[in-house]
Amino acid sequence: MRRLACSLAVLLATALSAGAHAAAAAATAAAKPAPAQRKRIDKSPAKQAPERPVKITADAFEILAGEKHASWKGNVVAVRDDMTVTCKALVADYDDQKRLKKLTCTGNAHMRQVAKAERPEREAWGDVAVFDNDTAILTVTGSPRAREGQSTMQGERILFDSNADKLRVERVSMVIDTPPDKDPLAPKARPAPDAGAKEPKR
C-alpha cells in the first residue's frame, strides 16, 4: 500500500509539474509580440493624369504620311478646357509616340478664356500664338495685347498658364480701369435730402 501510495504521489507530482511548465510556456508565448507584417510595395507604374484633349475645327486639314506635323487652314478654332484660340492657320507638332507637343497659330491670333468666380474674362490678340501642350502655356507674340476684365495691357510677350490659371506680361504697359461703384477712392455721393423734412430755423 505504501508503494502504491508513493507511486500515485510521484505520478501526481509529475502531472502537476508538466501542467505548470505548459502554463508557463503558454504565458511566455502570449507575452511575445506578434511578428510584424511586411508591407507590400506596389511596383506598378504611377498613374498619369488623363490628357486634356484639344478640339480643332477649320476649313481644310492636311497631314503627310511619316511627317510629325499636321496643318489646318481657314477659320481655325482650337478649344482646350476654358480656352479658345482662333486664327487663319494652325500647325500641330507631334513626338515619336504621336502625342501632341505644340500648336502654332498664325494670322490674327485671338485667345479667349471664360470668366470664373475668382476672376473676370480674359482675351489676347497678336500675330502668333504658340501653345505648349506639356506645360499648358500659351505664348502670344507680334504686337500682343490683352484684356482682363476692364484692364488692358500690352508688352513684348503675353503668357497664359492654363494649369495655374495665371496671366503674365513681359515688359508690360497697362491701363487699370476700375468700375466707379467699386473704386474705394471715388468720392461718395451725398444722400438726397428728405422732401418731408423741415429746414432748420436760422
Side-chain angles (χ1 to χ4, degrees):
M1 292 293 291
R2 290 182 180 178
R3 290 182 180 179
L4 180 59
C6 290
S7 299
L8 290 175
V10 171
L11 290 175
L12 182 59
T14 304
L16 291 174
S17 177
H21 284 297
T28 304
K32 289 183 179 180
Q37 295 182 355
R38 294 182 178 179
K39 294 183 179 180
R40 296 181 62 183
I41 300 176
D42 187 5
K43 296 183 179 180
S44 59
K47 294 181 180 180
Q48 296 181 351
E51 294 185 0
R52 291 138 67 186
V54 179
K55 299 179 181 179
I56 303 172
T57 59
D59 294 339
F61 170 71
E62 181 178 335
I63 187 170
L64 297 176
E67 295 290 337
K68 294 182 181 179
H69 62 267
S71 62
W72 293 259
K73 293 181 180 179
N75 300 311
V76 179
V77 180
V79 180
R80 185 180 190 267
D81 297 337
D82 65 343
M83 181 184 294
T84 301
V85 179
T86 61
C87 57
K88 293 181 178 179
L90 176 67
V91 175
D93 295 318
Y94 298 88
D95 60 13
D96 295 334
Q97 285 74 37
K98 296 183 180 180
R99 290 174 47 204
L100 179 63
K101 297 293 291 182
K102 182 177 67 174
L103 290 171
T104 303
C105 205
T106 57
N108 295 331
H110 172 248
M111 187 282 305
R112 178 178 175 270
Q113 273 186 310
V114 298
K116 293 184 177 181
E118 62 274 13
R119 64 156 176 81
E121 181 185 66
R122 289 172 174 166
E123 284 189 283
W125 299 262
D127 296 335
V128 181
V130 179
F131 180 76
D132 189 319
N133 197 42
D134 292 333
T135 61
I137 294 178
L138 177 77
T139 304
V140 183
T141 57
S143 303
R145 60 193 189 282
R147 176 186 66 82
E148 184 175 75
Q150 297 188 20
S151 299
T152 59
M153 59 207 79
Q154 59 185 4
E156 289 186 353
R157 293 199 311 168
I158 298 175
L159 298 93
F160 292 89
D161 188 335
S162 61
N163 284 341
D165 197 18
K166 181 173 63 177
L167 165 65
R168 190 179 79 204
V169 183
E170 297 179 353
R171 298 184 65 85
V172 63
S173 172
M174 65 185 298
V175 176
I176 300 175
D177 187 6
T178 304
D181 59 337
K182 295 183 180 180
D183 189 352
L185 301 179
K188 296 182 180 180
R190 295 181 178 179
D194 188 357
K198 297 181 180 181
E199 293 184 0
K201 296 181 179 181
R202 296 181 180 177

